[in-house]
Amino acid sequence: MKTKKRILSVILAAMMMLALTACGGMTTDDAKTYVQSVLDASYKADFSEYTEQTDSTEEEAQQLFDENLDNIMSMGGFTDAGLSEELSASYRQLFQDMLAQAKYEVGSATEGEDDGFVVEVSAEPFTAFDGLQDEVMSAVEAEMANITDISQLPSQDEINEMVFQKMYDILVQRVAEPTYGEAQTVEVHVELSDNMYSINEDDLTELDLILFPADNL
């Protein structure tokens, strides 16, 4: 089930991060608002504050969000998995719903080095992937066990579709009834370069790995 681990590793790979022009400098409150706007836009598809912060349009923000979903589908292996159009579309919507379940809280901001800022973000791990591999395999094995006539054995493509369908069915239920692990704190650095503020990409990756852990697949 390596595909699912690739999915999780790219959830945030193309996160929208339009730089914020350093017009007249930034305050700690500005830094906190900026981080909140980027996270809300990237996970919740809430672009209201993000467009204000980055001087972009909602259409531009929506395009970036849609491209993020496209990248998740492609880099996660779904585009080339040979899935039916219906199941592929269902997965794309599922990932959008899953991103919306990201549970984080932007906390205090302090001044950092080189006119930058450090913003604390509390993140609760989404546990939808815990034990997923075993549950999917058990569901597939149970369905295969019901086939007694060798002439009715599914083709490899049909088995592939079955595996992804079972995984989808399980994830839909888990997204509908989300559970979370213990909150962890990440320090997100807002950095100034060439009179533009942006968020440190490594910090965003660390945050994403906490929000959507794959260790317990």
Side-chain angles (χ1 to χ4, degrees):
M1 304 292 281
K2 294 181 180 178
T3 298
K4 294 191 295 301
K5 292 192 177 183
R6 292 208 308 273
I7 297 166
L8 296 177
S9 69
V10 302
I11 287 275
L12 200 64
M15 190 177 201
M16 57 180 69
M17 289 197 320
L18 291 182
L20 177 63
T21 305
C23 299
M26 177 184 274
T27 66
T28 52
D29 285 342
D30 292 335
K32 180 177 177 178
T33 300
Y34 176 43
V35 171
Q36 182 78 56
S37 72
V38 170
L39 298 182
D40 289 348
S42 299
Y43 288 112
K44 313 292 186 180
D46 180 355
F47 310 127
S48 54
E49 184 63 35
Y50 178 81
T51 54
E52 293 291 329
Q53 290 287 316
T54 59
D55 194 26
S56 59
T57 67
E58 185 167 341
E59 290 74 17
E60 290 171 333
Q62 183 67 59
Q63 182 177 353
L64 285 171
F65 185 84
D66 291 341
E67 289 174 356
N68 289 347
L69 289 176
D70 291 340
N71 286 335
I72 291 172
M73 291 293 292
S74 177
M75 297 174 67
F78 288 87
T79 304
D80 300 322
L83 305 182
S84 65
E85 290 186 9
E86 180 180 0
L87 185 54
S88 180
S90 295
Y91 261 109
R92 195 176 191 280
Q93 182 60 53
L94 173 64
F95 290 136
Q96 181 170 343
D97 296 340
M98 188 181 299
L99 288 174
Q101 295 289 2
K103 196 171 184 179
Y104 52 84
E105 183 175 350
V106 179
S108 61
T110 57
E111 295 183 2
E113 299 178 354
D114 301 321
D115 295 321
F117 298 87
V118 180
V119 181
E120 291 190 350
V121 178
S122 174
E124 297 184 30
F126 186 44
T127 61
F129 296 94
D130 289 3
L132 179 61
Q133 177 173 325
D134 290 341
E135 189 168 346
V136 171
M137 289 298 96
S138 294
V140 172
E141 289 170 1
E143 184 155 335
M144 294 291 287
N146 292 327
I147 301 175
T148 57
D149 187 345
I150 192 172
S151 65
Q152 296 179 346
L153 287 174
S155 66
Q156 187 58 52
D157 287 343
E158 290 171 333
I159 292 176
N160 191 50
E161 181 87 0
M162 182 192 305
V163 169
F164 278 91
Q165 183 65 59
K166 295 296 184 184
M167 183 169 69
Y168 172 80
D169 293 340
I170 293 169
L171 285 175
V172 164
Q173 184 62 33
R174 293 186 178 190
V175 169
E177 301 173 356
T179 57
Y180 299 87
E182 185 175 351
Q184 302 177 47
T185 299
V186 176
E187 290 188 343
V188 174
H189 294 79
V190 178
E191 301 169 334
L192 178 63
S193 178
D194 297 328
N195 206 41
M196 301 287 285
Y197 284 106
S198 62
I199 300 177
N200 182 279
E201 293 186 25
D202 291 338
D203 295 343
L204 289 176
T205 298
E206 179 184 357
L207 176 62
D208 191 63
L209 292 175
I210 291 173
L211 289 170
F212 296 100
D215 295 340
N216 297 323
L217 276 170

